[in-house]
């Protein structure tokens, strides 16, 4: 492809230099911060040669170009635009500063809750399993020993994350607010101290003790904050402001003990006497309002929320819904909100699948079908931004499908025991009523699919003028075509290349990778490994086509024309090469099993990054099949991909 032409077209259709604030790139995407998103012609950019997708996220316009292409287009782009190179960290700061206060608030909530979601999901899944087992035991469907250690311990483990939720939230919030996370954890511990009455006992036992505060001015209930979210976040924010101020004014020789002492004591007193009582009332009012809406007669409220959930994803405000989920679980034992979200998500998948099956445009089909599967796994951005919003009506039909699924969920009082997971695996949070979840899923997906097929999408095969091709290129193409026709169908089918696992760990499908670009197969087909050892080895004999400056990714090419990308971790470009050591150079020929890159696995995980490592065939379209051969435990001798 003509990289300069692609860069020029991107530049011309995003508002040119006056609309560009900052530009950077990672292994796969050109990341732009622009002044006015409305001045960017997203539809045109999506159809530029080499562009595999465009979406707006985290204050950036992200243009997916793929490995080996993005850096070349980027080099041309910054020359054309006359802008200087920007690091990923600088770009994030610029993007964050560009957001309005509400967007910054939503981003902050996302930054707080996303890291603790695995803990919440683990407890939620276990709670669902234990509820299902208790139901089957009590109704004599199964006969198991409920006094055995496995059963008793599982029951104990199932609610642990929710019992100590304020500590998890406080620790995460302190990191986001720039405070000492361990001091934040102490604030969380204060809020659920055993000397305070457990909040979950108040409904049956009443308030057991009160305490006068502020020199007898008024009394507060000596009740803990189990299950609460908003008061914890506010308390830690206050602590962060106090701690930062003290660091500036306290002499260095006293800072070590004065700052932690004063920060914890002052914040603790303010929390129990003012912050807690006020924001518990605010939180309860929010939850009561949400529950009132969901409980409107005939499921009307849920129908409305099911329809408007996807637009809130587009607006980027869906991260705040974790507060609703956690609050409802604390108050009712289940969340009635998560099934509405699940219905909305799978409905967008149904709409995308209808587009994918109906279109004759191969580029649209290759985006829509994987995106539909991704949405059914709970990852909706590829379906929403890459397909449904692009054509308009499918998005609306998806919203209607979500509304119908949410209506059914409300009528059947479908609740989930945890949060963080929607789509197919969301059923593990609804084992108390799995049949209703399956029917909700089918209704949301089916309605969206049918409406999109019938009314939401009309396939229009766009005829584009073919560019003039030099005569020598035409002759070369004819010769290549004649050579291809000499291969029998059997020869084409049986010629395959086997790729071995580049890492030791657990092999998973790309659809399970928690990154929309990889999961939707926009960059190509492949698989991923969750590593247990920080060593990347060559999956086959190949030539090193590119070692990224940030050392977190490497490109390989084989003699058979296979182009590979091994991307170590998700969003690890932000580490700028820290914790990685590269053992090869561009152009090196490597043998299967040869060490390419080593990395400090535990340090990367401790820094908060997902170490899941995708291996992508970036030119998948050049091959008839890319098939994953194995899931589960793998080592470097395991055959994981077959490319025909």
């Amino acid at each position: 492809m003509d990289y300069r032409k692609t860069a020029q077209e991107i530049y011309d259709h995003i508002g040119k230099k006056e609309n560009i604030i900052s530009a950077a790139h990672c292994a796969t995407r050109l990341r732009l911060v622009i002044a006015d998103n409305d001045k960017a012609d997203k539809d045109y950019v999506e159809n530029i040669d080499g562009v595999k997708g465009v979406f707006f996220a985290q204050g950036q316009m992200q243009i997916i170009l793929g490995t080996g292409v993005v850096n070349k287009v980027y080099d041309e782009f910054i020359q054309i635009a006359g802008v200087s190179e920007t690091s990923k960290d600088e770009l994030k700061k610029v993007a964050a500063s560009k957001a309005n206060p509400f967007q910054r608030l939503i981003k902050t909530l996302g930054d707080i809750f996303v890291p603790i979601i695995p803990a919440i999901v683990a407890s939620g899944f276990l709670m669902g399993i234990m509820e299902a087992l208790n139901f089957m035991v009590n109704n004599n469907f199964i006969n198991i020993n409920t006094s055995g250690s496995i059963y008793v311990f599982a029951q104990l483990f199932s609610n642990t994350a929710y019992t100590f939720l304020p500590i998890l939230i406080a620790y995460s919030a302190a990191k986001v607010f720039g405070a000492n996370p361990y001091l934040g954890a102490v604030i969380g511990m204060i809020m659920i101290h055993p000397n305070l009455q457990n909040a979950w006992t108040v409904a049956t036992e009443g308030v057991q003790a009160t305490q006068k505060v502020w020199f007898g001015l008024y009394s507060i209930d000596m009740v803990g904050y189990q299950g609460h979210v908003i008061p914890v976040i506010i308390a830690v924010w206050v602590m962060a402001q106090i701690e930062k101020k003290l660091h500036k004014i306290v002499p260095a020789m006293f800072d070590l003990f004065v700052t932690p002492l004063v920060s914890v004591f002052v914040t603790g007193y303010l929390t129990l006497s003012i912050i807690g009582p006020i924001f518990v009332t605010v939180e309860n009012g929010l939850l009561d309002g949400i529950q009132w809406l969901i409980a409107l007669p005939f499921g009307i409220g849920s129908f409305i929320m099911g329809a408007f959930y996807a637009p809130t994803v587009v607006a980027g405000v869906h991260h705040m819904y974790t507060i609703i989920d956690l609050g409802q679980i604390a108050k009712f034992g289940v969340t009635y909100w998560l099934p509405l979200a699940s219905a909305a998500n799978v409905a967008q998948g149904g709409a995308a699948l209808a587009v994918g099956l109906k279109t004759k445009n191969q580029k649209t089909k290759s985006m829509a079908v994987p995106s539909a599967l991704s949405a059914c796994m709970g990852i909706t951005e590829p379906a929403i931004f890459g397909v449904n919003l692009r054509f308009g009506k499918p998005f609306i039909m998806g919203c209607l499908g979500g509304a119908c699924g949410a209506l059914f969920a409300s009528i059947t009082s479908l609740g989930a025991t945890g949060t963080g997971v929607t789509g197919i695996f969301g059923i593990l949070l609804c084992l108390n009523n799995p049949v209703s979840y399956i029917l909700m899923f089918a209704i949301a997906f089916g309605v969206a699919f049918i409406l999109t097929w019938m009314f939401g999408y009309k396939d229009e095969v766009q005829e584009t003028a073919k560019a003039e091709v030099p005569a020598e290129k035409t002759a070369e193409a004819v010769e290549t075509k004649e050579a291809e026709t000499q291969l029998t169908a059997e020869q084409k089918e049986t010629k395959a290349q086997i790729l071995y696992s580049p890492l030791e760990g657990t092999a998973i499908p790309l659809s399970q990778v928690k990154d929309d670009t990889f999961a939707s197969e926009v960059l190509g087909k492949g698989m991923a490994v969750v590593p247990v050892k920080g060593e990347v080895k060559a999956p086959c004999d190949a030539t090193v086509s590119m070692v990224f400056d940030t050392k977190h990714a490497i490109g390989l090419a084989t003699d058979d024309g296979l182009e590979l990308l091994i991307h170590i971790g998700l969003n690890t470009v932000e580490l700028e090469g820290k914790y990685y050591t590269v053992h090869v150079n561009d152009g090196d020929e490597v043998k299967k099993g040869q060490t390419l890159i080593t990395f400090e696995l535990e340090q990367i995980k401790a820094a908060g990054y997902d170490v899941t490592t995708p291996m992508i065939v970036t030119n998948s379209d050049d091959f008839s099949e890319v098939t994953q051969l194995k899931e589960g435990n793998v080592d470097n001798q395991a055959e994981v991909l077959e490319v025909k």
Side-chain angles (χ1 to χ4, degrees):
M1 60 179 289
D2 186 335
Y3 302 114
R4 188 166 187 85
K5 181 182 177 184
T6 297
Q8 184 70 56
E9 286 194 77
I10 292 173
Y11 174 75
D12 290 341
H13 291 86
I14 62 168
K16 297 190 175 180
K17 185 173 182 178
E18 57 268 21
N19 200 36
I20 300 171
I21 297 175
S22 189
H25 77 92
C26 60
T28 58
R29 299 168 228 183
L30 177 62
R31 297 169 178 260
L32 306 173
V33 177
I34 55 180
D36 186 352
N37 290 348
D38 293 335
K39 291 183 179 179
D41 189 344
K42 178 174 177 286
D43 292 338
Y44 187 96
V45 175
E46 283 179 326
N47 290 291
I48 294 173
D49 183 30
V51 174
K52 299 181 178 181
V54 179
F55 62 96
F56 293 93
Q58 301 171 339
Q60 306 169 27
M61 182 180 187
Q62 300 189 14
I63 302 172
I64 304 170
L65 293 161
T67 178
V69 175
V70 64
N71 57 313
K72 295 175 183 176
V73 173
Y74 174 74
D75 290 342
E76 298 289 352
F77 181 85
I78 60 174
Q79 288 183 19
I80 294 169
V83 297
S84 59
E85 295 190 25
T86 306
S87 72
K88 269 65 68 177
D89 284 342
E90 291 171 335
L91 189 84
K92 286 174 67 178
K93 290 177 182 177
V94 172
S97 65
K98 181 175 173 283
N100 61 47
F102 181 69
Q103 289 172 325
R104 290 199 294 269
L105 172 63
I106 298 303
K107 181 183 183 299
T108 299
L109 292 176
D111 291 342
I112 291 171
F113 286 112
V114 168
I116 66 175
I117 280 178
I120 297 170
V121 168
S123 279
F125 278 169
L126 197 50
M127 285 173 67
I129 292 169
M130 296 311 297
E131 281 197 16
L133 287 175
N134 288 334
F135 174 81
M136 289 187 284
V137 169
N138 294 335
N139 290 275
N140 299 317
F141 293 130
I142 59 174
N143 183 19
I144 58 177
N145 180 14
T146 58
S147 61
S149 61
I150 293 178
Y151 195 93
V152 171
F153 287 174
Q155 193 78 53
L156 176 70
F157 302 157
S158 64
N159 68 347
T160 300
Y162 295 99
T163 300
F164 299 102
L165 182 63
I167 299 175
L168 293 176
I169 294 174
Y171 180 88
S172 183
K175 293 180 70 174
V176 171
F177 295 140
N180 186 314
Y182 299 100
L183 296 182
V186 171
I187 297 301
M189 294 173 192
I190 289 173
M191 298 180 76
I192 57 171
H193 196 283
N195 285 354
L196 297 173
Q197 181 184 353
N198 192 305
W200 289 319
T201 67
V202 172
T204 55
E205 300 176 4
V207 176
Q208 300 294 306
T210 61
Q211 176 65 52
K212 289 186 178 297
V213 294
W214 295 105
F215 310 104
L217 189 61
Y218 60 93
S219 297
I220 55 109
D221 296 336
M222 293 292 284
V223 176
Y225 292 84
Q226 286 83 0
H228 287 288
V229 175
I230 295 177
V232 183
I233 295 174
I234 299 299
V236 175
W237 180 83
V238 169
M239 188 207 75
Q241 308 314 307
I242 295 172
E243 184 188 359
K244 291 175 184 177
K245 187 69 174 177
L246 289 173
H247 278 312
K248 292 180 180 178
I249 63 176
V250 175
M253 64 183 298
F254 301 117
D255 186 57
L256 179 62
F257 56 89
V258 170
T259 297
L261 172 63
V262 175
S263 298
V264 169
F265 182 80
V266 172
T267 304
Y269 195 88
L270 289 172
T271 298
L272 296 185
S273 62
I274 298 177
I275 296 170
I278 290 176
F279 285 96
V280 161
T281 303
V282 172
E283 184 175 278
N284 287 337
L286 172 66
L287 293 174
D288 289 341
I290 294 295
Q291 192 58 29
W292 172 84
L293 180 62
I294 293 175
L296 284 175
F298 312 110
I300 295 173
S302 294
F303 182 90
I304 294 171
M305 293 314 303
F308 282 95
Y309 183 88
T312 66
V313 172
V314 175
V317 302
H318 57 298
H319 289 302
M320 71 179 185
Y321 295 146
T322 305
I323 294 177
I324 299 173
D325 283 328
L326 297 176
Q328 288 205 329
I329 290 170
K331 197 167 186 177
F332 307 114
V334 294
T335 168
Y336 299 103
W337 186 266
L338 184 125
L340 309 188
S342 194
N345 287 344
V346 300
Q348 292 297 324
L353 183 62
V355 172
L357 296 182
K358 197 171 182 180
T359 186
K360 293 182 177 63
N361 185 304
Q362 288 303 310
K363 185 174 181 179
T364 301
K365 188 183 292 290
S366 65
M367 181 68 182
V369 175
S371 296
L373 175 60
S374 175
C376 289
M377 296 291 186
I379 303 170
T380 57
E381 281 83 352
I384 290 177
F385 294 107
V387 182
N388 297 344
L389 274 178
R390 181 179 174 185
F391 298 107
K393 287 184 179 179
F395 180 72
I396 296 172
M397 302 308 167
C399 291
L400 292 175
C404 293
L407 173 66
F408 177 82
S410 178
I411 292 173
T412 57
S413 299
L414 181 60
T417 56
T419 186
V421 177
T422 60
I424 292 172
F425 294 109
I427 194 172
L428 296 175
L429 299 174
C430 298
L431 291 176
N432 52 347
N433 197 353
V435 175
S436 292
Y437 189 88
I438 292 170
L439 291 174
M440 175 276 293
F441 192 109
I443 290 170
F445 188 93
V447 169
F449 181 92
I450 293 170
L451 289 177
T452 303
W453 187 276
M454 295 178 64
F455 311 110
Y457 180 74
K458 181 179 180 182
D459 191 35
E460 296 179 2
V461 181
Q462 298 178 348
E463 294 293 333
T464 56
K466 295 182 178 180
E468 292 184 9
V469 182
E472 60 272 17
K473 291 289 184 182
T474 304
E476 181 182 337
V478 171
E479 290 176 6
T480 302
K481 186 67 177 177
E482 289 175 350
E484 287 179 352
T485 57
Q486 293 175 4
L487 288 174
T488 66
E490 182 180 355
Q491 286 174 318
K492 287 184 178 180
E493 181 63 26
T494 56
K495 188 174 182 181
Q497 183 166 348
I498 300 297
L499 300 178
Y500 294 81
S501 177
L503 292 149
E504 294 182 27
T506 303
I508 62 173
L510 276 186
S511 59
Q512 294 181 20
V513 176
K514 297 174 183 177
D515 181 283
D516 302 333
T517 303
F518 290 117
S520 61
E521 299 184 344
V522 172
L523 297 175
K525 298 179 180 180
M527 50 78 66
V529 178
V530 182
V532 295
K533 183 179 179 182
E535 184 176 15
V536 178
K537 294 187 176 182
C540 59
D541 295 347
T543 300
V544 178
S545 57
M546 178 180 297
V547 177
F548 289 81
D549 294 339
T550 47
K551 305 177 185 178
H552 74 295
I554 187 169
L556 302 173
T558 72
D559 291 340
D560 291 331
L562 205 62
E563 297 175 4
L564 300 175
L565 168 68
I566 301 174
H567 194 287
I568 309 166
L570 306 180
N571 296 315
T572 45
V573 63
E574 297 169 2
L575 292 171
E576 299 286 349
K578 188 178 181 181
Y579 306 128
Y580 292 92
T581 302
V582 178
H583 300 277
V584 292
N585 298 304
D586 288 359
D588 285 357
E589 294 186 1
V590 296
K591 297 294 184 182
K592 182 186 84 67
Q594 181 176 335
T595 299
L596 305 176
I597 298 174
T598 53
F599 57 97
E600 298 176 50
L601 179 65
E602 295 305 321
Q603 284 85 340
I604 294 173
K605 290 165 67 175
Y609 291 90
D610 186 336
V611 293
T612 301
T613 300
M615 180 169 69
I616 308 294
V617 180
T618 57
N619 60 338
S620 299
D621 293 343
D622 295 343
F623 301 90
S624 60
E625 290 182 31
V626 178
T627 307
Q628 184 168 353
L629 300 176
K630 185 175 182 180
E631 294 184 32
N633 292 335
V634 293
D635 57 22
N636 299 114
Q637 301 302 314
E639 298 179 354
V640 293
L641 277 183
E642 180 184 53
V643 184
K644 291 185 178 180

